[in-house]
């Protein structure tokens, strides 16, 4: 039995020992193939590797002594030409991930890039993954195979010199080809060519896998975002312990994701998103002092739709992208359209999701690098009707926004979560009372209740504005309750930018 095992090992070693073009290619392919199962081929065939290393050293020593010529195939040949970034030529794959539009690759890139510089690619192989992944394993085999063939014949035809000395396997790409060939620029350029060839091989497979596993969702700005899929269904993060959720609940979650995606795609295909504005006025003089930015959808036939669609973006976690687009365009409007109307405030709604976005403050800081026109202030409205998951973090974010010179307003006060605690937790410049308080005026005691709410809000030091004033009677009552600012159809309806500019000309 032992004799048979030794014979088999010896027979395999003879078949794949890299002593010529065919055997050398077979040796490379078998070593790469073992990675499909997560096994490093070097350790399986290390006896061949040690023998090959000794022969490489002997050949190089003989050449340096003037005896014979250098072999094309050597340990350095494989490490230099077939393993840029690690086995499988995965430096090319890493570059593909870098140029891919899929943000879900960022974490993998951050982990893999420092190691890939030194040809360590296990995080990349298991992270993409290549292991047990037939789609990505094809280019994982093809890339070193193509590199082998090109490098072999380029050396045979004296386009590049053979490796003249051993270089450590962890030596970064380009540096290893420079050192191994004693500074031959042709070798460095050839290695760049091979890396580019690898990119061309990996790219279509990576794009196929992304299209299979992710869905591109349109944003209001026309950009795309990748949302993960699982077997043509959206992958969901279901709150709580997953094992405690019923199959019916999970199916409902899946259907909500699919429904949200369908609505978003339909909106993107049928028109564009535009900004509208609703003025905020002083109740005594009816003078416009501020405007709230409102997102609308304008269909191809000109129909304007209110923002019912925001719930779909919120459902799939894309509210930060929506808010960033609105904020960026609102600031641009201040600079280019409103600069001739000094001394006003532009108010932008910011969702709780966006407040907790890691790059939110960075985005705001960049937008405010150009100072706003004289007398203009930017105000951000946080929606009280939506529950804030991380109140302490929100407090810290709002504090930084105030340092930027941004005013903070609490929207929809009286209609949602933890109403009173918001007054004590957050430092607010303005409180916007919800229209439900206006509707309550029709009930007995409604005016007295509104009066007490106004006084309570004023104890926080905030300016009070009421929304939804639609009749002169309501106007008079809210003014009697001590409110000085209002927003509602009685004064001005939401309107496009051109109409608002005409109105502001009259207002000033």
């Amino acid at each position: 039995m032992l004799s048979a095992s030794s014979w088999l090992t010896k027979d395999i070693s003879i078949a794949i020992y890299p002593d010529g073009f065919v055997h050398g290619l077979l040796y490379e392919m078998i070593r790469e193939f073992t990675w499909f199962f997560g096994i490093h081929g070097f350790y399986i065939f290390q006896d061949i590797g040690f023998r090959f290393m000794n022969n490489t050293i002997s050949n190089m020593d003989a050449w340096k002594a003037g005896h014979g010529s250098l072999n094309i195939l050597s340990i350095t040949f494989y490490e230099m030409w077939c393993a840029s970034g690690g086995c499988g030529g995965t430096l090319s794959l890493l570059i593909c991930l870098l140029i891919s539009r899929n943000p879900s690759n960022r974490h993998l890139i951050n982990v893999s890039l420092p190691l890939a510089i030194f040809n360590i690619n296990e995080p990349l192989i298991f992270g993409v993954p290549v292991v047990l992944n037939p789609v990505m394993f094809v280019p994982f085999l093809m890339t070193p195979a193509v590199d082998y063939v090109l490098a072999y014949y380029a050396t045979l035809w004296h386009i590049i010199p053979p490796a003249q000395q051993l270089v450590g396997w962890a030596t970064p790409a380009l540096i290893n080809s420079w050192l191994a060939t004693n500074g031959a620029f042709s070798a460095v350029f050839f290695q760049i060519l091979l890396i580019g060839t690898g990119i061309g091989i990996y790219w279509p497979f990576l794009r196929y896998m992304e299209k299979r596993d992710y869905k591109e969702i349109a944003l209001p700005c026309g950009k795309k975002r990748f949302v993960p899929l699982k077997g043509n269904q959206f992958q969901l993060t279901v709150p709580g312990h997953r094992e405690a959720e019923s199959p019916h609940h999970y199916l409902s979650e899946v259907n909500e994701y699919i429904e949200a995606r369908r609505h978003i795609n339909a909106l993107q295909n049928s028109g564009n998103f535009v900004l509208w504005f609703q003025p905020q006025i002083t109740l005594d003089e009816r003078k416009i002092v501020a405007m709230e930015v409102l997102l609308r959808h304008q269909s191809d036939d000109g129909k304007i739709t209110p923002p019912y669609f925001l719930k779909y973006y919120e459902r799939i976690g894309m509210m930060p992208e929506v808010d960033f687009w609105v904020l960026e365009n609102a600031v641009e409007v201040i600079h280019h359209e409103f600069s001739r109307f000094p001394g006003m405030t532009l108010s932008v709604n910011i969702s709780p999701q966006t407040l907790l976005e890691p790059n939110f403050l960075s985005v705001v800081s960049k937008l405010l690098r150009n100072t706003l026109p004289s007398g203009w202030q930017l105000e951000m409205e946080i929606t009280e009707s939506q529950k804030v998951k991380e109140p302490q973090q929100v407090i810290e974010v709002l504090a930084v926004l105030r340092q930027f010179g941004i005013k903070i307003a609490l929207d929809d006060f009286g209609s949602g979560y933890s109403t009173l605690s918001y007054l004590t937790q957050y430092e607010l410049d303005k409180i916007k009372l919800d229209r439900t308080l206006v509707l309550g005026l029709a009930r007995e005691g409604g005016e007295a209740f509104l009066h007490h709410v106004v006084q309570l809000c004023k104890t926080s030091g905030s300016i009070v504005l009421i929304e939804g004033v639609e009749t002169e009677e309501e106007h008079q009552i809210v003014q009697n309750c001590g409110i000085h600012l209002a927003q509602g159809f009685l004064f001005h309806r939401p309107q496009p930018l051109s109409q608002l500019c005409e109105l502001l000309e009259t207002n000033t």
Side-chain angles (χ1 to χ4, degrees):
M1 186 72 178
L2 182 62
S3 177
S5 175
S6 300
W7 175 83
L8 181 61
T9 303
K10 181 179 179 181
D11 193 56
I12 294 175
S13 298
I14 294 173
I16 68 173
Y17 184 81
D19 55 0
F21 176 81
V22 176
H23 286 180
L25 179 59
L26 185 62
Y27 173 67
E28 176 65 14
M29 290 297 93
I30 291 178
R31 289 197 310 163
E32 301 291 348
F33 180 78
T34 61
W35 272 111
F36 183 75
F37 306 99
I39 302 173
H40 200 310
F42 173 80
Y43 297 111
I44 295 180
F45 304 108
Q46 59 181 348
D47 56 331
I48 300 176
F50 290 145
R51 178 185 167 197
F52 190 38
M53 170 69 79
N54 292 331
N55 287 344
T56 295
I57 295 173
S58 298
N59 176 248
M60 290 182 175
D61 288 343
W63 175 76
K64 291 175 182 178
H67 305 299
S69 60
L70 288 168
N71 295 333
I72 294 178
L73 297 180
S74 64
I75 287 290
T76 307
F77 176 94
Y78 286 100
E79 293 173 349
M80 180 169 53
W81 303 129
C82 303
S84 295
C87 52
T90 48
L91 181 59
S92 299
L93 173 58
L94 185 61
I95 294 174
C96 288
L97 292 175
L98 284 167
I99 61 179
S100 171
R101 295 173 296 168
N102 190 348
S104 64
N105 294 327
R106 292 172 187 167
H107 180 68
L108 178 59
I109 292 171
N110 292 337
V111 173
S112 303
L113 182 58
L115 297 174
I117 294 174
F118 301 101
N119 303 317
I120 301 171
N121 64 351
E122 279 80 355
L124 197 62
I125 290 176
F126 288 96
V128 170
V130 172
V131 175
L132 299 178
N133 182 356
V135 175
M136 293 308 299
F137 197 67
V138 172
F140 185 82
L141 285 177
M142 285 180 60
T143 298
V146 171
D147 290 346
Y148 174 91
V149 173
L150 293 177
Y152 187 94
Y153 281 103
T155 307
L156 180 65
W157 296 335
H158 304 293
I159 299 173
I160 55 174
Q164 300 171 19
Q165 59 184 359
L166 294 177
V167 177
W169 65 266
T171 305
L174 305 185
I175 296 177
N176 60 6
S177 58
W178 169 265
L179 295 175
T181 59
N182 284 328
F185 283 105
S186 59
V188 176
F189 292 139
F190 185 76
Q191 194 172 31
I192 294 174
L193 173 65
L194 293 185
I195 293 171
T197 302
I199 294 172
I201 295 173
Y202 272 110
W203 181 251
F205 291 90
L206 179 64
R207 288 293 294 157
Y208 169 80
M209 193 172 72
E210 287 181 339
K211 290 179 180 179
R212 183 195 66 182
D213 298 338
Y214 292 85
K215 175 67 177 180
E216 283 187 310
I217 296 294
L219 301 179
C221 56
K223 296 181 180 179
K224 304 284 185 179
R225 176 177 173 180
F226 286 83
V227 176
L229 297 166
K230 185 176 182 180
N232 295 327
Q233 299 286 358
F234 280 97
Q235 284 184 331
L236 305 175
T237 304
V238 181
H241 294 289
R242 189 57 186 281
E243 58 272 16
E245 300 287 351
S246 68
H248 175 76
H249 177 82
Y250 181 63
L251 181 60
S252 175
E253 293 276 317
V254 172
N255 289 336
E256 286 180 17
Y257 257 74
I258 296 174
E259 183 71 4
R261 180 187 66 179
R262 185 180 66 81
H263 280 284
I264 289 173
N265 287 340
L267 285 168
Q268 186 65 28
N269 294 331
S270 63
N272 298 298
F273 293 92
V274 295
L275 296 185
W276 277 40
F277 306 83
Q278 186 173 23
Q280 299 173 357
I281 59 99
T282 57
L283 284 172
D284 51 357
E285 299 178 354
R286 296 199 179 190
K287 181 179 180 180
I288 300 174
V289 293
M291 289 84 66
E292 179 182 0
V293 179
L294 304 170
L295 184 62
R296 297 288 187 265
H297 179 265
Q298 183 173 359
S299 65
D300 294 334
D301 59 5
K303 180 182 178 182
I304 300 297
T305 304
Y308 73 86
F309 48 81
L310 290 181
K311 62 184 179 183
Y312 303 124
Y313 284 94
E314 181 182 355
R315 181 64 188 85
I316 60 177
M318 293 175 60
M319 279 307 300
E321 284 82 355
V322 175
D323 287 344
F324 289 159
W325 182 83
V326 172
L327 186 59
E328 180 180 347
N329 283 271
V331 171
E332 185 176 343
V333 167
I334 294 178
H335 284 290
H336 294 94
E337 302 293 341
F338 291 162
S339 57
R340 64 183 187 272
F341 311 114
M344 292 191 184
T345 299
L346 191 65
S347 187
V348 180
N349 288 277
I350 300 295
S351 71
Q353 287 182 15
T354 305
L355 286 174
L356 299 177
E357 184 75 7
N359 65 334
F360 172 60
L361 292 175
S362 174
V363 170
V364 175
S365 177
K366 291 178 181 178
L367 288 176
L368 295 180
R369 283 178 181 174
N370 293 330
T371 306
L372 296 179
S374 175
W376 271 92
Q377 287 189 317
L378 186 63
E379 181 179 80
M380 292 190 180
E381 298 183 13
I382 58 174
T383 306
E384 194 269 342
S385 60
Q386 297 180 3
K387 187 175 183 179
V388 176
K389 295 181 179 179
E390 301 289 343
Q392 184 57 43
Q393 186 177 345
V394 170
I395 292 172
E396 296 171 0
V397 171
L398 295 182
V400 176
L401 292 176
R402 290 176 65 86
Q403 292 176 8
F404 290 164
I406 296 173
K407 299 296 183 182
I408 306 299
L410 180 62
D411 195 16
D412 298 333
F413 183 82
S415 66
Y417 299 88
S418 307
T419 302
L420 295 180
S421 66
Y422 276 49
L423 297 183
T424 58
Q425 284 182 322
Y426 305 138
E427 190 174 353
L428 305 169
D429 298 289
K430 181 189 293 182
I431 297 175
K432 299 180 68 176
L433 302 182
D434 189 70
R435 171 160 170 75
T436 55
L437 296 174
V438 177
L439 297 175
L441 295 175
R443 296 191 296 268
E444 183 179 354
E447 181 176 348
F449 179 77
L450 177 59
H451 178 80
H452 290 304
V453 171
V454 172
Q455 296 307 310
L456 178 65
C457 292
K458 287 185 175 181
T459 59
S460 68
S462 305
I463 299 172
V464 179
L465 177 146
I466 193 161
E467 299 179 289
V469 178
E470 297 185 358
T471 67
E472 285 293 347
E473 181 182 4
E474 293 172 348
H475 173 202
Q476 189 60 50
I477 294 174
V478 298
Q479 191 170 7
N480 292 340
C481 289
I483 299 175
H484 301 295
L485 296 177
Q487 181 177 342
F489 287 178
L490 175 63
F491 312 109
H492 303 286
R493 290 177 175 270
Q495 51 199 273
L497 177 61
S498 58
Q499 185 176 336
L500 177 64
C501 288
E502 295 177 2
L503 179 63
L504 293 178
E505 291 281 1
T506 305
N507 182 72
T508 54

